[in-house]
Amino acid sequence: MSADPAPARRTRRHDPGRRDRLVDTTLDVIAARGVATATHRAIARAADVPLGSLTYHFGSLTELLAAAFTRHVDDVAARFDARMAAAPDRAAALEALVEHLTGDLLGSERDLVLAVELYVAAARDAELRAVTQDWMSRSRRSLERHLDPVTAREVDALVEGLVLHSALSTDPMDAAQIRAALLRFAG
Amino acid sequence: MSADPAPARRTRRHDPGRRDRLVDTTLDVIAARGVATATHRAIARAADVPLGSLTYHFGSLTELLAAAFTRHVDDVAARFDARMAAAPDRAAALEALVEHLTGDLLGSERDLVLAVELYVAAARDAELRAVTQDWMSRSRRSLERHLDPVTAREVDALVEGLVLHSALSTDPMDAAQIRAALLRFAG
DNA sequence: AACTCATAGGAACGAGCGTACACATGGCCA
DNA sequence: TGGCCATGTGTACGCTCGTTCCTATGAGTT
């Protein structure tokens, strides 16, 4: 302990990509301790940049949070759509959906937490709600590659419930139970 | 404007039931503007009591929020269990579930908002997560009056998803669509 | 009537917050 | 080379917050 006080960094002027790294660090902070603790100061500390750097690159904290969640949603939605596009038929699409849900979303503590934190933030902030809605609609469009619109919508709601359930329950459903539920519903 | 400065209330000492009214007022504030705005000061203002009164009756803000959400969950869970108990068979139970969901929960802006705010708060607070888990398990037990445990669990997750969906979507499912989804799943 | 103590009331403290702003720096172009 | 200006930095302001603390009051008891 009591290490040298930041010796390496010094006059790191004109740091290209800092804005990008701030977005990444923001996601890290949200995933680690929740959107409520994602303050300018906490993010600045985690990214090892001065406080003023945040308000220089982002006009407000909400703008930064929106940028972070947008990046995350883009990432997850793209992965999901790739899975759906690669599925040759409806049965394969359902298996790919199970894989996405149990592997990508619920398998990664980080992705699960980020999803719930986004729900949380969106519940009260219109700008973040737009990000959530974008995610929902992209997810539904991916499902509609193989499912009819009505089913796609219902599956989407069920998926949201399973995510919430996994995050809040002490005794969450395992992969086999989730698979059974989805197949029962849409199989 | 510039009305008399609180003329009626004056030396309202020994106010019985104030603790209860504080819990109710807390729910009102949460429903109106979100759990993030439910501060000591906001609640005190809404209840027309001095700030110190809150910390006198509740050791901390979290304790007050937990008391408020507990009261709400008790209320909703009791209403739901009454519906389930009154249903003579499985088909009637499913109709009662639809009624509860579209009428009680989603039909009341207040109840819908409170449900989502509880999810939100529970995501980061262990004490409030216990309240959520209690709600989930009571809801599941009510469903098990007519559904097997596996189905009850899956229906519970779907209901959570439908609640979240209704709260966050610009284009939420209507009662008929929700009924169709539930019946398709468990009917 | 005197006493007591649970309840009520209001002010104050220290901390953390978003944001604004004045100043420093150095890459880039004339 | 010299100067401009986008970028980087550190400090400070004004605000709200949860909580603490001291004082006042009056209902119930003796």
Side-chain angles (χ1 to χ4, degrees):
Chain A
M1 45 210 73
S2 88
D4 32 349
R9 179 183 52 83
R10 189 63 76 92
T11 68
R12 196 197 290 166
R13 303 273 161 180
H14 289 87
D15 178 0
R18 170 173 290 194
R19 194 190 145 97
D20 267 1
R21 284 190 300 108
L22 287 179
V23 172
D24 287 337
T25 303
T26 301
L27 282 176
D28 290 342
V29 170
I30 295 171
R33 315 205 294 111
V35 72
T37 74
T39 65
H40 276 141
R41 285 168 177 81
I43 297 165
R45 220 174 300 129
D48 190 30
V49 300
L51 178 59
S53 185
L54 294 189
T55 48
Y56 175 75
H57 286 287
F58 301 90
S60 72
L61 182 59
T62 296
E63 188 182 318
L64 172 56
L65 295 179
F69 279 123
T70 297
R71 169 166 305 179
H72 177 65
V73 163
D74 280 347
D75 179 40
V76 173
R79 263 160 34 208
F80 181 55
D81 194 64
R83 282 187 191 275
M84 286 296 120
D89 57 19
R90 179 186 169 107
L94 287 176
E95 289 300 337
L97 168 61
V98 171
E99 191 65 25
H100 170 73
L101 188 53
T102 61
D104 274 17
L105 276 188
L106 307 187
S108 148
E109 183 70 17
R110 178 188 164 94
D111 284 0
L112 173 59
V113 169
L114 285 177
V116 174
E117 292 292 334
L118 176 54
Y119 293 156
V120 163
R124 280 294 154 183
D125 187 298
E127 194 172 345
L128 297 178
R129 206 172 313 133
V131 178
T132 308
Q133 283 159 7
D134 180 53
W135 190 9
M136 286 182 184
S137 73
R138 288 172 70 173
S139 157
R140 225 174 344 160
R141 246 177 294 133
S142 295
L143 286 171
E144 286 172 5
R145 287 171 175 274
H146 297 283
L147 269 52
D148 66 284
V150 170
T151 303
R153 177 168 212 165
E154 294 172 353
V155 166
D156 211 42
L158 177 58
V159 166
E160 279 172 40
L162 291 171
V163 167
L164 205 61
H165 185 82
S166 290
L168 298 184
S169 175
T170 45
D171 176 31
M173 294 163 81
D174 62 30
Q177 291 170 314
I178 287 173
R179 181 172 182 279
L182 281 170
L183 292 184
R184 176 134 84 105
F185 193 71
Chain B
M1 47 212 73
S2 86
D4 30 349
R9 180 183 51 87
R10 189 63 77 94
T11 68
R12 196 197 289 166
R13 302 272 161 180
H14 289 87
D15 178 1
R18 170 173 291 194
R19 194 189 145 97
D20 266 1
R21 284 189 301 107
L22 287 179
V23 172
D24 288 336
T25 303
T26 301
L27 282 176
D28 290 342
V29 171
I30 294 172
R33 315 204 295 112
V35 72
T37 75
T39 65
H40 277 141
R41 285 169 176 83
I43 297 165
R45 220 175 299 129
D48 190 30
V49 300
L51 179 59
S53 185
L54 294 190
T55 48
Y56 175 75
H57 286 286
F58 301 89
S60 72
L61 182 59
T62 296
E63 187 182 318
L64 172 55
L65 295 179
F69 278 124
T70 297
R71 170 166 304 180
H72 177 65
V73 163
D74 280 347
D75 179 40
V76 173
R79 263 160 33 207
F80 181 54
D81 194 63
R83 282 188 191 275
M84 287 296 122
D89 57 20
R90 179 185 169 107
L94 287 176
E95 289 300 336
L97 168 60
V98 170
E99 191 64 25
H100 170 72
L101 188 53
T102 61
D104 274 17
L105 276 188
L106 308 186
S108 150
E109 184 69 18
R110 178 187 164 94
D111 283 0
L112 173 59
V113 169
L114 285 178
V116 174
E117 292 291 335
L118 176 55
Y119 294 157
V120 164
R124 280 292 153 185
D125 188 297
E127 194 171 346
L128 298 177
R129 206 171 315 134
V131 178
T132 308
Q133 283 160 7
D134 180 52
W135 190 10
M136 286 183 185
S137 73
R138 287 171 72 172
S139 159
R140 235 187 319 172
R141 246 177 294 134
S142 296
L143 286 171
E144 285 171 6
R145 288 173 175 274
H146 298 283
L147 269 51
D148 66 283
V150 170
T151 302
R153 178 168 212 166
E154 294 172 352
V155 166
D156 210 41
L158 177 58
V159 166
E160 279 173 40
L162 291 171
V163 167
L164 205 61
H165 184 83
S166 290
L168 298 184
S169 173
T170 45
D171 176 32
M173 294 163 79
D174 63 29
Q177 291 170 314
I178 287 173
R179 181 173 182 279
L182 281 170
L183 292 185
R184 176 134 85 105
F185 192 69

